[in-house]
Amino acid sequence: MKFRCERDVLADAVTSAGRAATNRTGTLPVLAGVRMEVTGDELVVIGTDLELTIRLTVDVGGERDGAVVVPARLVADIIRALPAGAAEVELGEEELAISAGRSQFSVRPLALDDYPAQAEPSADAVTLSADVMRDALRQVVRAASSDDARAVLTGVLLAAEEDGLRMVATDSYRLAVRDLPESSVLGSGQRVLIPARALAELQRVLDGDDELTVRLGEREVVFEAGSTRLTTRLIEGDFPNYRNLLPSSHPNVLTVDKGGMLEAIRRVKILAQDSTPVRLTVGGDTVQLTALTQDVGNAAEEIDASYDGTKMTVAFNPDYLSAGIDAIDSEEITLSTMDPMKPAVIRGAGVEDYLYLLMPVRVP
Amino acid sequence: MDAFYVSVELRRRPELRGKPVVVGGDGPRGVVAAASYEARRFGVHSALASSIAKRRCPHAVFLPGDHAHYSEVSREVRDVFERYTPLVEPLSLDEAFLDVSGSIELLGDGPTIARALRAAIRDELQLGCSVGVAPNKFLAKLASVDAKPRASRDGIERGPGVVEIVAGEERAYLEPLPVERLWGVGPATLAKLNRIGIYTVADLTTVGAPALAASLGQSQARHLTELAVGHDDRPVEPDQAIKSISHEETYAEDLATIEELRTEVVRMSDAVARRLRRQKIGARTVALKLRFTDGFRTITRQTTTPEPIDQASIIAELLIPLLEPIDPTPGIRLVGVSGSNLGPVHQQLSFDDLAGAEPGTRESTVDEIRDRFGAEAIGPASAVRNGKLRTVRPGAQQWGPNQTPPE
C-alpha cells in the first residue's frame, strides 16, 4: 500500500474514523486502531467499536493498493503534527511509514486479520435534509443520558407520528422533544432507539453537507452524508412513556430574552458550586437569579422579563437549565411551570416544534 | 446543674427525695448517667457500670433515663440563662458557659449575677446549680466544680454554690491543685507527668518548658503551661454549628448475624435521618460503627456521597453494603450510625419522582406522624420485633440498655 494525500484531508479522515475506535479494556486490541485501505485513487478509513462504525472515503494519489490497521490516536497525532502540504504513506514489510517534507515516522501496525469485516448496507435508502437533521440533533441529543445503567435512556427515540418524525431524549431529569413535520424515515407507527453517542458523532459529520441518506435495518441504522458513512446498532428495549410527562396546562409563564438569560445564568453559576442550584424568583417585571454556596458566597442578578402567574421561586441545576435555553432557536424563550416541585417547560416564544422539559431541584 | 438528671426526676417523684437514686441503664451493660448525692455517698458516680453501682448501693432506686424530658428541662434552664446574657454556650444538657461581661453594668458583678441565677433556677425550676465565676472558660469550669455539693461516706456537704476566681489570683488558686484538674490531663498524661515528678499545678510551673515538651510533645506542653498560669483565650461561642448527627445503641444481648445488623442499621439510619431533617440539613458522609464484645474492639466504616442526604432509605442503602465483609459471629454489642460533612439538601428531582407520591412526602409524612403521635407511632417494618415497633428515641440508649421487659 502506498499513497499521497494532503495532510489536512488525511488528518481529518483518520481523526473522524478514530472517534469510533476504542481503548476500552476487554475489547479486541485491534479495535484501538483504524483500518486504512487503498484501491486505485480511493482511500477508505474505518474505525469501529462494534457498536458504532465511522467510515470515510478520501481521494488520494494511489500508487499501490493494500490495507493496514494502525493505532488510531497515535497515527492521527502524527499526521496532524506533520508539516503542511502533501504526506506520503507507505506500508513496508513490518511498518507503516508516514512522511512529509523531511519528517519521517514509522509505526508498527495492528493485526489486520483480526479487524472485523464490514458489511455493505442493504436496507432501502431515505433522504433527509442535512440542515434540518443537524438542527434537530443539536436540540435533542443533549437531553440523553450517558449513564449505561439505564441503556434505553442513552438513546434518542425516533418515532413516526401522524404528520412526520419525532425525536425524543431524556436522562430522567430533563426531556427534549423535537417534531420534524414532513420528514419520514420510518414506517407508520414505527419507533427506533438510536444511541445518542452515535448521533452526536453524526452531528459533527453533517457540517456542510446538503443531504443525509438513512438506511434503517433490523438491528442497525446507516447514515451517509458526503464521504462519511456512520453505522450504529439500535438500542433494544422500551423507551419510557414520555407523553404522560408533558403537562397539558401551565398556569405560570415567564417570557424572557434568550441571550440575556443565558448570560445571567453563566454569571450566577459561578457561585453555584457542588451541585448547588440556581434559584429563579418570578413575579412582576423581572426574574431574579440567585445562587448561594455555603461558606463560599452568593451571586444575584435581575433581568427584565414578563410574567403571567403567581409569585414563586424555583431552583434548577444551572447546567440543565442553560442547556435547555441554549437549545431554543428563537430570541425569546418561555419557561412555564406549575409549581416548584413540578417539571418546567422551556420553549421558543411562538415555536411549537420543540420543547425541553426540566425537573427542578428541591431546596430546603 | 447539680445531679441534673436525678434532680429532674425528683421533681416528678418527690417521694424519692433523700434516697439514693440512680438514673441510667439497669441492664447488664448499662451505665450510670447520674446519681443523687445520697447514692454518691456509697461511691456511685456517673459512667460507673450499673452492675457495680448495684453492688455498692443495693438499695438505690434505679430510674431509666428520659432524655427527651431532660432536653426539655435543659431548654428551660437555658431560657433562664439567656435573661442574663445572650452569650450562652451549652456544653452539654446540664452545663453551659455564660459570658456576662456585657451585663455587669446593668446586673451587677459576676458573683451577684451568679447568685441571682441560682436563685432563679431554684425558685422557678426547683433545681440546684453551682456557678464558677472567673476571667475565662477554663477557670470558670474549675471553680464551678469547687462550688458543687460534695458527698462522702460521712455525709453530704453543701457546696458554696458560687465560687469566684478573681483576676490576678489565678495562680494562687491553681497552684495547690492536683495536676489532673487541668483540662486535658487524663490518665495517660497524668502518668507521664507523675513520671517526671509533677503532681500539682505548682510542680508544673517549676518544670522547664524543654523537659515538659520532651515528655508530652510540643503542643500539649504549651497547652498545659498556659493553663497552669490560668491562661485560656477561648471565647464563649453561642450556637456552635452542628458538625455531625449520630445514634448508637448498646445491646443487652450480642448481635451475631448480618441480618440483625442490617435491621439495626435501618433503625439507626431512620433516627439519624429524622434528626437531619429536623435540622434542615443533610449529610454527605455517613458512617457505621460496630463494637465487638471481645476486647471492646471498635470498627468504623464510612462512605461519602456527592450530595447531602436526609433520607433514611438512602443512608441505609449506603451503609448496608459496608456490612458485607464483616464477620459478626464473635458478637457485636454496639451499633452506631452517624452523618457528618453536613450541608443543605438539594435534591435534583427526576421524572421517576412524579410517578409516585410527591417527592419527599414519605419523609415529611413520617415526621408529621411522629410529631403528633410520638416516635413509636411509625417506623421501619424491619424494626418490628414480637409485634412491637422498636424505634430509636433520641438519647434513650445513651447509658446502655435497660433490662428487656418480659415479653
Side-chain angles (χ1 to χ4, degrees):
Chain A
M1 182 181 88
K2 187 176 180 187
F3 67 90
R4 288 171 70 82
C5 181
E6 192 62 32
R7 177 198 67 176
D8 293 340
V9 174
L10 187 58
D12 279 353
V14 174
T15 307
S16 298
R19 266 203 283 274
T22 177
N23 284 315
R24 262 201 317 266
T25 49
T27 53
L28 278 173
V30 77
L31 297 184
V34 285
R35 184 182 193 278
M36 301 165 82
E37 178 165 12
V38 177
T39 315
D41 281 336
E42 188 187 77
L43 168 71
V44 173
V45 188
I46 297 174
T48 184
D49 63 0
L50 301 179
E51 296 189 348
L52 169 68
T53 304
I54 300 176
R55 176 187 190 274
L56 289 98
T57 314
V58 186
D59 290 332
V60 296
E63 250 179 65
R64 194 163 68 239
D65 290 357
V68 68
V69 179
V70 283
R73 183 149 337 140
L74 177 68
V75 170
D77 285 348
I78 290 170
I79 297 170
R80 269 196 303 267
L82 291 175
E88 191 174 272
V89 179
E90 180 174 10
L91 181 62
E93 288 218 350
E94 302 220 322
E95 278 157 347
L96 183 75
I98 304 165
S99 56
R102 294 158 83 176
S103 301
Q104 294 245 350
F105 290 84
S106 67
V107 174
R108 193 161 282 245
L110 303 172
L112 178 67
D113 294 341
D114 289 351
Y115 206 79
Q118 305 296 315
E120 278 301 300
S122 54
D124 293 341
V126 180
T127 307
L128 294 174
S129 152
D131 274 345
V132 170
M133 196 61 176
R134 186 176 59 237
D135 218 39
L137 291 174
R138 192 185 72 80
Q139 291 182 311
V140 175
V141 169
R142 61 186 65 208
S145 169
S146 53
D147 180 4
D148 288 327
R150 276 175 88 179
V152 288
L153 299 189
T154 63
V156 172
L157 176 76
L158 264 70
E161 295 287 306
E162 262 172 43
D163 52 352
L165 181 68
R166 173 174 274 194
M167 293 170 67
V168 188
T170 180
D171 61 2
S172 85
Y173 306 115
R174 58 236 170 101
L175 170 84
V177 181
R178 169 70 198 261
D179 284 318
L180 298 162
E182 291 152 41
S183 300
S184 70
V185 189
L186 308 168
S188 167
Q190 195 181 4
R191 296 155 71 96
V192 294
L193 255 178
I194 302 175
R197 176 177 159 241
L199 294 179
E201 291 301 332
L202 179 62
Q203 217 180 307
R204 291 167 178 265
V205 167
L206 287 179
D207 215 20
D209 291 300
D210 301 338
E211 279 196 343
L212 171 69
T213 307
V214 184
R215 295 167 199 268
L216 183 63
E218 209 43 23
R219 294 238 162 78
E220 59 178 31
V221 58
V222 183
F223 297 97
E224 250 172 303
S227 60
T228 308
R229 182 199 292 166
L230 188 147
T231 309
T232 176
R233 60 159 188 105
L234 299 174
I235 296 174
E236 284 179 40
D238 289 327
F239 196 74
N241 183 359
Y242 67 93
R243 285 174 204 273
N244 291 346
L245 301 175
L246 306 177
S248 45
S249 77
H250 273 302
N252 309 296
V253 182
L254 171 78
T255 308
V256 66
D257 175 67
K258 174 187 164 181
M261 187 70 173
L262 279 177
E263 279 285 288
I265 298 169
R266 190 173 60 78
R267 277 189 288 270
V268 171
K269 196 186 122 172
I270 297 170
L271 264 301
Q273 302 174 352
D274 299 333
S275 73
T276 318
V278 164
R279 291 166 205 234
L280 307 189
T281 303
V282 288
D285 296 338
T286 60
V287 51
Q288 287 135 41
L289 293 88
T290 51
L292 184 157
T293 300
Q294 246 195 346
D295 305 329
V296 178
N298 62 69
E301 178 151 352
E302 189 167 68
I303 54 178
D304 293 333
S306 68
Y307 182 65
D308 186 7
T310 49
K311 191 172 162 39
M312 69 169 95
T313 298
V314 197
F316 295 106
N317 171 319
D319 293 325
Y320 292 172
L321 180 62
S322 44
I325 295 171
D326 174 70
I328 303 292
D329 265 336
S330 57
E331 287 188 4
E332 281 205 318
I333 62 130
T334 62
L335 188 149
S336 333
T337 188
M338 185 84 85
D339 65 49
M341 302 289 269
K342 294 277 165 48
V345 177
I346 301 171
R347 282 183 187 274
V351 181
E352 290 296 312
D353 66 3
Y354 178 71
L355 76 83
Y356 183 89
L357 192 67
L358 172 60
M359 284 302 283
V361 173
R362 181 170 71 105
V363 291
Chain B
M1 305 300 296
D2 301 337
F4 180 60
Y5 304 138
V6 170
S7 309
V8 171
E9 291 295 345
L10 290 181
R11 297 197 311 180
R12 340 190 242 200
R13 317 261 314 251
E15 74 278 8
L16 295 177
R17 263 181 215 286
K19 293 189 178 149
V21 175
V22 173
V23 169
D26 67 352
R29 283 171 186 167
V31 292
V32 174
S36 71
Y37 289 98
E38 290 77 7
R40 291 187 201 189
R41 288 183 59 195
F42 296 89
V44 176
H45 54 81
S46 55
L48 185 72
S50 298
S51 51
I52 300 176
K54 280 184 179 168
R55 228 174 299 141
R56 289 190 187 167
C57 187
H59 57 298
V61 179
F62 268 79
L63 298 174
D66 183 351
H67 195 273
H69 183 54
Y70 308 150
S71 301
E72 257 169 56
V73 180
S74 174
R75 180 68 244 182
E76 290 167 21
V77 172
R78 189 167 166 189
D79 288 343
V80 175
F81 291 165
E82 282 173 353
R83 281 188 237 150
Y84 296 88
T85 172
L87 297 176
V88 177
E89 177 186 332
L91 203 57
S92 63
L93 280 187
D94 69 338
E95 277 178 300
F97 290 115
L98 282 71
D99 180 346
V100 294
S101 45
S103 318
I104 287 176
E105 213 159 296
L106 205 63
L107 302 173
D109 62 3
T112 309
I113 294 175
R115 281 189 293 272
L117 197 96
R118 284 193 76 220
I121 287 173
R122 188 188 54 227
D123 296 345
E124 295 171 34
L125 301 173
Q126 291 81 51
L127 293 170
C129 68
S130 306
V131 187
V133 181
N136 60 47
K137 291 199 327 192
F138 158 62
L139 292 170
K141 163 110 188 168
L142 212 60
S144 77
V145 173
D146 292 335
K148 281 187 178 293
R150 219 174 304 269
S152 68
R153 206 174 288 265
D154 309 323
I156 300 163
E157 198 184 309
R158 284 185 53 179
V162 176
V163 167
E164 186 186 15
I165 302 177
V166 183
E169 290 172 18
E170 296 96 337
R171 295 192 62 165
Y173 191 92
L174 286 166
E175 285 182 354
L177 297 179
V179 73
E180 61 265 36
R181 290 284 305 272
L182 296 183
W183 167 50
V185 180
T189 309
L190 182 62
K192 283 185 203 161
L193 290 170
N194 288 169
R195 216 172 298 145
I196 55 170
I198 298 175
Y199 294 91
T200 66
V201 177
D203 295 341
L204 190 67
T205 56
T206 55
V207 172
L212 203 57
S215 145
L216 297 178
Q218 201 62 257
S219 76
Q220 204 188 4
R222 201 175 310 127
H223 166 80
L224 289 186
T225 349
E226 289 286 297
L227 291 185
V229 294
H231 285 175
D232 174 19
D233 54 8
R234 294 170 302 156
V236 171
E237 289 174 281
D239 297 320
Q240 285 188 325
I242 307 171
K243 294 210 173 70
S244 74
I245 284 180
S246 68
H247 264 292
E248 55 185 56
E249 199 161 311
T250 307
Y251 303 95
E253 278 166 46
D254 285 348
L255 308 178
T257 67
I258 288 283
E259 287 68 40
E260 289 173 304
L261 289 180
R262 225 181 271 148
T263 304
E264 292 310 311
V265 168
V266 170
R267 283 181 66 219
M268 300 291 149
S269 302
D270 176 47
V272 168
R274 173 168 152 81
R275 275 179 56 206
L276 286 168
R277 293 197 295 271
R278 271 235 166 135
Q279 303 288 341
K280 297 199 185 326
I281 211 152
R284 215 169 286 140
T285 301
V286 290
L288 180 71
K289 176 172 159 188
L290 300 174
R291 182 168 298 147
F292 289 87
T293 300
D294 55 329
F296 275 64
R297 186 165 58 94
T298 305
I299 58 170
T300 57
R301 298 284 180 270
Q302 64 172 53
T303 178
T304 298
T305 67
E307 297 264 353
I309 50 173
D310 66 353
Q311 293 180 40
S313 55
I314 304 179
I315 297 176
E317 270 168 37
L318 286 166
L319 293 178
I320 285 174
L322 304 182
L323 289 172
E324 203 88 336
I326 292 166
D327 173 18
T329 46
I332 284 168
R333 58 183 284 135
L334 175 145
V335 176
V337 165
S338 69
S340 58
N341 208 343
L342 306 177
V345 179
H346 302 122
Q347 187 197 356
Q348 169 68 57
L349 301 176
S350 108
F351 295 127
D352 302 327
D353 294 322
L354 294 171
E358 292 232 342
T361 24
R362 183 180 51 187
E363 279 69 29
S364 60
T365 307
V366 167
D367 291 346
E368 247 175 76
I369 291 173
R370 284 179 174 164
D371 287 344
R372 232 195 282 174
F373 303 109
E376 287 91 351
I378 188 165
S382 62
V384 173
R385 179 83 40 87
N386 297 327
K388 240 184 107 192
L389 181 62
R390 303 170 309 129
T391 50
V392 177
R393 272 180 303 127
Q397 259 285 334
Q398 201 145 308
W399 311 300
N402 292 313
Q403 239 142 23
T404 344
E407 299 293 347

